[in-house]
Structure formats: C-alpha cells, structure tokens
Amino acid sequence: MKKKDIVSETYTQFYITCPAERQTLQRARMFAGLPELGISNGEDLKETLTNCTEPLKAIDQFQMENGILLPTLQSALPFLDLHGTPRLEFHQSVFDELRDKLMERVATIAEGKDEDRYGKLEELLEKSFPLVKMPSIQPVVMQVLKHLPKVPEKKLKMVMADKDLYKVCAVEVKRQIWQDNQALFGDEVSPLLKQYIVEKEAALFSSDLSILHNFFSPSPKTRRQGEVVLKLTQMIGKNVKLYDMVLQFLRTLFLRTRNVHYCTLRAELLMSLHDLDISEICSVDPCHKFTWCLDACIREKFVDGKRARELQGFLDGVKKGQEQVLGDLSMILCDPFACNTLVLSIMRNLQELLSQDSLPRESPDLMLQLRMLSLGQGAWDMIDSQVFKEPRLDLEVVTRFLPAMMSVVVDDHTFTVEQKLPSEEKSSVSYPTTLPDAFNRYLQENRVACEMGLYYVLHIAKQRNKNALQRLLPALVETYNDMAFGDIFLHLLTGHLTLLSDEFGSEEFCSVVFDGFLLTSFSSKENVHRHTLRLLVHLHHKLLPSYMETLMKTLEPPKQVGLIFIYR
C-alpha cells in the first residue's frame, strides 16, 4: 500500500475511532479564521498526516501543541479518561468558562475609567474578528463590538454585508450602522410604525363599548409602555441622528396618510426618552418642555391656569428664524389625546363662564385653549405648505358660534326647569327641535367649531339627555370634512350611547340615531358600518324586533362583498 493511501486510511480511522476529536476537527475545518491567528485547524492536521511517516505520533504531537498549554494538566488528563469523560467535554467546559470570563472582562474594561480602554478593546477586536463566524467565539466578538462607541468602519461594513452577523449584533452596533444608512433604518422601523397604527385602529374598533374604558382611558405613562414605543426608544438610544430620522419618517407618513396617530407616536416617543432621562436628545428637541407640560395636562385631562400660562410662554417664545418649530408643536397638538384634553378643558371653561354670566372672549385660559386647538387642527396644512406661521383663530368662532352653542344649553336648561314646575305654572312651549343657524353653519365651515360641537354632543349623551341628543344628531350629517364620521368620534359616541340603552326601545329615538345619522353614510363609509355594528352588538336586545329586522336588512352587505370576504 502506498504511503499516501496509508495516511488517508489512518486519518479516516482517526475520525471513526475518536468521535470527540472528529467533531473538533470538523469544527476546525469550518472556521477559516483560525490560521490568521496562527492556530492550527483541520486542514493543518490533514497536511501533517499526509506528510508524516508515523501518523499516531503526529496526532499526539498535534494534540500537545494545540491543547491547553499547562504542564500539570497532561498528567491529569488520563484520570478523565478513566472516568469516561470525553476530552471534548472537558475542553468545551474550560472553553466556556474562559469565554464567560473574557466577556465579563470586556464589560469591565469598557465601564472603567482607563483612558486607553477603547484602544484595548479595538486591539482585542482585531485579534478576534477573524473568528466572528465561529459560533463559540462569536459572542466575544459581539461583546467587544457592543462596547465600542465607534466601531471601525471596515468592520461595520462587514457586519452590515453579512445578514447573519447583522441579525445577531447588538442594537448598540446597529445604531452605528443605521446612522449612515437611512434606508436600512427605515426598513427596520417601518414594520413597527405599521404595527402601531394597527394597534390604535384595533382599539378604536374594539368590541368593548364603555364610557369608562375607551380609547382615551390609558394614562400617558401606560401608553408609553407599549411594545412599539419601547422598541423605538431602544433602537434610538442616545443617538440624535436616529431620533431625527424617526421624526422625519413620522412627518412624511402623517403628510402621506393624514393619520393623526403618527402625531401621538411623535409625542409618546419624546416622553419615553424623557422618562429614561436621555438628556442628549431631550435637551436638543425644542418641543421637549412644551410636550412635558402638555403630557401633565393629558394625564389630568384638564389644562389648568398655571399650565396654560406655561404653554403660552412656550408658544410665545418661538423666536424669529425658528418658526419651523411650530410644525412640530402643531403635530404634538394634533395628537388626539392632546385634542381630547383641550376640548374637554374648553367645555369645562364654558360651563364655568355660563355660571358666572361671563363672555368667552373675557377668559384668557379659554382663548389659549382655542389657540392651541386651532394650531393642532392646522398641523397637516402647515407641514404640507412648509409655511410655519401660527393660524389665526377665527374670532367669529368666539363671538358667534360659542354664543349659539350656549343658547342651546340655555334652551335645554330652561326646558328642564320648566318640567319641574307645578302643572299650573307650566307653559305650553314644547322642546325646541331646530338649532341656531350660526351653530349649523360653523359645524360645516370651521374645524375648531366642529370639534367643540362634536364634544358638546358627547357631553349631552353623557348626561343621558335624550331630547337634546335628538335635536343635535341630525345636524352632524353635514360637518366640516365629515368629522362626525371619523373613527375617534364614533368610537366615543357609541360608548356614550350605551348610557341611553333603554331609550333604544323607542322607534322614534332609534330613527334619530340610525336613520337620521349613522345610516346616512354607512354605505359609502366602511368605518361607519363597523361602528354601527359595534353599537348593535351591545344594544340589539333593546331594539324593537321589527325595527331590528329592518336594520339588519339595511346593514347586510351585498352578496358580491360577502364573496370577497370569504375568498380573503
């Protein structure tokens, strides 16, 4: 038999008879980075066996040169053999222990105060990076990369080019990659933004109808614990450049979709960083203190006098040449949670003014709340036009619309008081059915007035005032930009209507709610259809059977639509 054949057979027998060593050699052959560090691998052993005259001695020599270089260990290894402990198991346990110690040491060096600590880590990176694809060594390399504030560009490009390495590297490393690769960062962020919108819309179409637990019930702190906000906060870290990228994504998506939930996320993200005391970002975002103050108002669901003055100070403090800040401030005020707080505060102020016989324009707090509501409502127009100028509030909203709305309040109060009078003192005047022309006109032409009008309807429903509700609902068929058929208002209205569940036994009341309002647009607006069904799920047992049957036939989707849903 030729020498080469003898070597090949010996090599094969070595693989067959020594499974532990065989696995070691198989791994060594996989990792081409070992020779770069002067460490022998499986190919070196094959070459040794090919060129030697005594293969068994060559194997012993290879094991001695590449094993643990500790003289006292050699005499102890036979005891492991006697106990049936494979050499691989022993070496693997030693390796794991040393790896864990090394990783701890890397963290200790990085957290220390040695001026040359990052130089030491870079030196270690240079030695270990050739083995980055070796599963057992990879954690050490990733640990070093994680603790380097500035990873060498060449290494970053290698990590970015390899999908497997990019996937396992720490977020601290990814931040350094993302800050110079906006498209890649966008690919990472996009699914999270979509998930956020889906979650918000799911909350609006929730099958739970309640005035106590609705879309606006969670506190700001609770909302910031959501998965998407926490993930985005982690991805950004202290990196101002990444924060600016996310804000630009949100502005772009808000412009493209007009979806106000992106405004909510803009505010939640800033406050999440505030909670973590990330001063590197909070100190450079000019909206930070304004958002912080507004967040406190949202938590209380009211803008009190002190905070109103603080917010006014921020708005008045926008300096010439920095008007672009108004774009972000308007976006923060466009957040539905901010709008909800502002309008609730306006309604509360109006009630106080009514009891004091004061005019709306005489209240500085009310005028500021209207100013902020107007700024928030104009967010999309401002960002779209890039004309960063605070929209002027239409004074007729204060001088004409609000008095008209207050006259409706007075009508209702007068009728209520009269009903309590003895029968001989009652007049024959019936409850008014029409609304002031100014009220209807501003509902249709002014978005700030429309927002207040819608919340007044919610206020009436909360009071279980059937008469006032029957008077107001028909006016909502035509509102500014169909705001009455928006998801947020319908979500709140359906919840409030559950308070009048007993009234749905009256065909007259059902006719006003369904025929006079909801069914006027359900065929052209899928969301109205869904909200109507949400309401019926809770109240169907209250409706007259004949009316319920008619309603079901009206709401039944066309057969073609049904087939589409089946095939989906």
Side-chain angles (χ1 to χ4, degrees):
M1 190 180 286
K2 295 180 181 179
K3 178 184 174 184
K4 194 166 185 178
D5 294 334
I6 294 173
V7 170
S8 296
E9 186 178 347
T10 305
Y11 190 73
T12 303
Q13 288 298 318
F14 180 74
Y15 258 65
I16 295 170
T17 58
C18 306
E21 281 77 0
R22 182 181 74 236
Q23 291 178 33
T24 304
L25 287 173
Q26 283 176 331
R27 290 185 178 188
R29 291 186 66 184
M30 288 171 59
F31 309 129
L34 288 172
E36 291 183 37
L37 303 176
I39 301 173
S40 302
N41 62 7
E43 291 298 324
D44 295 318
L45 177 57
K46 184 177 180 179
E47 185 178 345
T48 300
L49 291 173
T50 303
N51 297 321
C52 71
T53 54
E54 298 184 57
L56 294 178
K57 285 186 178 180
I59 291 171
D60 288 337
Q61 183 66 26
F62 185 89
Q63 288 179 324
M64 188 174 295
E65 290 176 355
N66 294 283
I68 300 173
L69 301 178
L70 190 64
T72 54
L73 181 63
Q74 296 304 316
S75 57
L77 287 176
F79 287 104
L80 293 176
D81 298 335
L82 291 174
H83 287 283
T85 303
R87 296 287 177 89
L88 173 63
E89 185 179 323
F90 167 71
H91 283 89
Q92 188 65 51
S93 66
V94 173
F95 177 86
D96 292 343
E97 184 70 22
L98 290 173
R99 182 184 59 198
D100 293 343
K101 292 289 184 184
L102 179 56
M103 291 176 68
E104 288 176 15
R105 181 63 182 150
V106 168
T108 303
I109 291 172
E111 293 165 6
K113 296 182 179 179
D114 186 354
E115 292 182 1
D116 192 37
R117 61 187 183 278
Y118 296 127
K120 292 177 180 177
L121 292 182
E122 286 181 8
E123 186 179 345
L124 179 58
L125 180 64
E126 285 298 323
K127 291 180 179 179
S128 61
F129 198 81
L131 303 179
V132 70
K133 291 191 177 183
M134 185 175 179
S136 53
I137 296 292
Q138 193 177 81
V140 177
V141 183
M142 291 303 168
Q143 179 82 333
V144 177
L145 288 169
K146 174 183 175 180
H147 285 94
L148 276 175
K150 187 169 179 58
V151 176
E153 189 175 347
K154 183 180 177 181
K155 301 291 190 294
L156 278 181
K157 287 182 177 179
M158 291 173 71
V159 171
M160 183 175 68
D162 190 304
K163 289 183 179 179
D164 294 331
L165 292 182
Y166 175 77
K167 186 177 180 180
V168 298
C169 72
V171 69
E172 289 85 354
V173 182
K174 288 179 178 176
R175 286 186 200 128
Q176 297 185 48
I177 294 173
W178 292 333
Q179 68 178 3
D180 295 318
N181 293 271
Q182 186 171 355
L184 181 60
F185 186 52
D187 291 341
E188 293 277 356
V189 168
S190 182
L192 293 174
L193 301 184
K194 289 178 183 176
Q195 179 185 338
Y196 184 84
I197 298 302
V198 168
E199 289 172 358
K200 290 295 181 186
E201 290 178 348
L204 288 172
F205 287 106
S206 168
S207 58
D208 297 328
L209 260 70
S210 169
I211 192 171
L212 297 175
H213 302 288
N214 58 42
F215 182 75
F216 293 114
S217 296
S219 68
K221 196 89 170 183
T222 302
R223 288 188 284 115
R224 293 198 288 273
Q225 300 309 308
E227 180 186 3
V228 172
V229 176
L230 291 178
K231 279 188 176 180
L232 285 174
T233 304
Q234 183 191 29
M235 289 169 75
I236 291 168
K238 299 179 180 181
N239 194 308
V240 177
K241 195 171 181 181
L242 293 181
Y243 177 68
D244 286 338
M245 281 187 200
V246 173
L247 294 192
Q248 190 55 48
F249 293 151
L250 293 176
R251 291 186 201 103
T252 302
L253 288 167
F254 176 50
L255 275 180
R256 189 180 300 164
T257 64
R258 291 181 181 261
N259 194 320
V260 292
H261 299 312
Y262 290 116
C263 301
T264 305
L265 183 54
R266 195 265 185 256
E268 285 180 353
L269 187 58
L270 175 55
M271 287 309 300
S272 177
L273 293 164
H274 166 88
D275 292 342
L276 295 172
D277 198 23
I278 309 295
S279 58
E280 291 85 349
I281 291 176
C282 293
S283 61
V284 297
D285 189 331
C287 301
H288 172 231
K289 290 185 178 179
F290 181 88
T291 309
W292 185 9
C293 183
L294 186 61
D295 185 75
C297 297
I298 294 171
R299 186 177 63 245
E300 303 297 330
K301 289 185 169 59
F302 181 65
V303 182
D304 60 36
K306 182 183 176 183
R307 290 198 177 110
R309 288 188 290 275
E310 285 183 48
L311 292 169
Q312 183 174 5
F314 295 131
L315 289 176
D316 294 340
V318 176
K319 298 176 182 177
K320 193 173 182 180
Q322 298 179 345
E323 291 87 353
Q324 197 166 350
V325 175
L326 284 172
D328 276 330
L329 290 176
S330 68
M331 199 169 169
I332 288 165
L333 287 168
C334 189
D335 166 19
F337 289 86
C339 289
N340 178 63
T341 301
L342 287 171
V343 185
L344 288 176
S345 302
I346 289 169
M347 300 307 296
R348 186 166 157 182
N349 268 325
L350 287 173
Q351 289 175 329
E352 290 178 2
L353 291 170
L354 195 63
S355 65
Q356 298 166 3
D357 292 332
S358 299
L359 294 172
R361 60 175 176 266
E362 293 174 355
S363 170
D365 288 352
L366 177 64
M367 296 304 293
L368 174 64
Q369 289 158 7
L370 288 170
R371 175 188 174 187
M372 289 193 291
L373 183 61
S374 177
L375 181 57
Q377 295 283 355
W380 190 90
D381 294 328
M382 184 183 295
I383 297 172
D384 180 53
S385 65
Q386 292 291 294
V387 177
F388 299 103
K389 186 177 180 181
E390 193 172 334
R392 180 173 293 181
L393 176 68
D394 185 351
L395 287 178
E396 290 198 352
V397 170
V398 180
T399 60
R400 292 182 180 272
F401 172 75
L402 289 181
M405 189 166 77
M406 290 301 97
S407 73
V408 176
V409 177
V410 172
D411 287 344
D412 185 64
H413 185 67
T414 303
F415 182 80
T416 304
V417 171
E418 190 166 313
Q419 295 305 302
K420 295 177 182 178
L421 294 174
S423 55
E424 63 272 11
E425 295 181 23
K426 288 182 181 179
S427 65
S428 58
V429 177
S430 59
Y431 191 86
T433 56
T434 59
L435 292 165
D437 290 340
F439 185 83
N440 287 327
R441 180 160 59 87
Y442 279 93
L443 275 184
Q444 298 170 22
E445 297 177 1
N446 187 285
R447 56 186 160 201
V448 174
C450 185
E451 192 78 56
M452 289 188 287
L454 295 179
Y455 268 78
Y456 177 62
V457 172
L458 295 176
H459 173 71
I460 288 299
K462 189 176 181 180
Q463 291 183 324
R464 298 180 171 86
N465 190 330
K466 182 186 78 169
N467 290 327
L469 198 59
Q470 290 182 155
R471 182 185 183 189
L472 287 161
L473 277 180
L476 302 188
V477 174
E478 294 184 28
T479 53
Y480 183 89
N481 205 25
D482 279 342
M483 287 172 65
F485 296 114
D487 287 330
I488 293 175
F489 175 70
L490 290 177
H491 168 89
L492 295 174
L493 179 64
T494 49
H496 282 61
L497 286 174
T498 58
L499 297 174
L500 294 105
S501 57
D502 291 337
E503 302 295 343
F504 282 88
S506 161
E507 188 167 343
E508 179 189 4
F509 185 74
C510 284
S511 180
V512 171
V513 174
F514 294 105
D515 300 327
F517 176 54
L518 291 173
L519 298 186
T520 59
S521 68
F522 87 98
S523 59
S524 60
K525 295 181 183 294
E526 182 193 349
N527 69 310
V528 179
H529 197 156
R530 292 177 66 184
H531 284 292
T532 304
L533 292 174
R534 286 176 63 243
L535 183 62
L536 288 175
V537 165
H538 284 261
L539 300 176
H540 64 90
H541 59 286
K542 296 286 185 179
L543 275 67
L544 294 172
S546 58
Y547 189 83
M548 185 65 190
E549 186 179 349
T550 304
L551 205 54
M552 284 295 93
K553 287 181 180 178
T554 305
L555 291 170
E556 185 179 358
K559 292 182 180 179
Q560 288 182 342
V561 175
L563 287 172
I564 290 171
F565 285 131
I566 290 170
Y567 284 109
R568 279 182 180 174

